[in-house]
Amino acid sequence: MLIDDFSDKNLTSKLGTQWYGASDKVMGGISDVSVSYGKYDDRHCLFLTGKVCLENNGGFVQAALNLAKSGDTIDASAYVGVRLVVRGNSEKYSVHLRTLDNDRPWQSYRASFTAFPRWKTITLPFENFPPYRIEVPLDTTKLKRIGLVAIGRAFDADLALAEISFY
């Protein structure tokens, strides 16, 4: 199931929802985020760039997408996981999933990957998304949001995403 191939310059996904940037500034941090459309190697891309800073209890920048309109959810139980086509600056990033069970902003289900300077297809099985700060296991029948996140240490985020899907 294709989530996005970034063919829309306004960053409207194939699901009809809008990509947006978020950072730790919502909780007093000072990290800067930019989420933009562009091309790299003739591929349409979402670019997640920014400076992740740890000051003021901060430490993240994110490109996020609600998977359904009006706060609804989607059922991805027919799929095995998340597939990404990415390139980056050899740093570690995460995919965060949220469901209706996540009622606190810090709760999610997380899987990590490294984005190298050459394009690579990354597959992240749902079984590799452990709960973070929540006891409830991931329920793929009620997925609400997906995010690509640079988190946890001070560094410059530079990630290009050419495709994202459930596989």
Side-chain angles (χ1 to χ4, degrees):
M1 173 183 167
L2 181 63
I3 297 170
D4 211 348
D5 63 4
F6 305 100
S7 55
D8 184 302
K9 293 179 181 179
N10 296 316
L11 292 177
T12 301
S13 75
K14 294 298 182 188
L15 304 175
T17 55
Q18 191 74 35
W19 287 93
Y20 64 94
S23 76
D24 55 28
K25 286 184 178 180
V26 299
M27 42 187 239
I30 61 170
S31 298
D32 286 319
V33 65
S34 173
V35 173
S36 61
Y37 165 86
K39 280 192 166 186
Y40 191 91
D41 290 340
D42 289 324
R43 295 180 189 228
H44 300 280
C45 299
L46 174 146
F47 290 100
L48 170 64
T49 57
K51 187 166 193 66
V52 181
C53 301
L54 301 179
E55 290 80 11
N56 298 344
N57 296 317
F60 79 90
V61 298
Q62 174 177 213
L65 179 74
N66 291 323
L67 295 169
K69 294 181 180 181
S70 305
D72 289 336
T73 64
I74 65 166
D75 182 349
S77 62
Y79 303 97
V80 176
V82 177
R83 178 179 293 129
L84 314 163
V85 178
V86 296
R87 62 144 303 275
N89 57 349
S90 299
E91 293 285 354
K92 183 176 167 184
Y93 296 88
S94 298
V95 174
H96 292 192
L97 299 173
R98 289 183 57 85
T99 70
L100 288 177
D101 294 320
N102 303 116
D103 56 3
R104 300 280 187 248
W106 51 81
Q107 296 174 332
S108 61
Y109 303 90
R110 301 176 175 190
S112 297
F113 65 95
T114 301
F116 293 104
R118 295 186 185 265
W119 288 109
K120 183 171 181 174
T121 300
I122 309 266
T123 55
L124 302 169
F126 287 134
E127 65 190 24
N128 292 352
F129 282 82
Y132 179 79
R133 293 184 148 185
I134 185 172
E135 299 298 320
V136 180
L138 176 61
D139 182 352
T140 58
T141 66
K142 51 186 178 180
L143 291 179
K144 188 173 180 178
R145 186 170 58 205
I146 191 166
L148 283 94
V149 187
I151 191 168
R153 67 196 186 292
F155 73 104
D156 291 327
D158 186 4
L159 180 69
L161 176 65
E163 187 175 301
I164 185 168
S165 60
F166 294 125
Y167 73 96

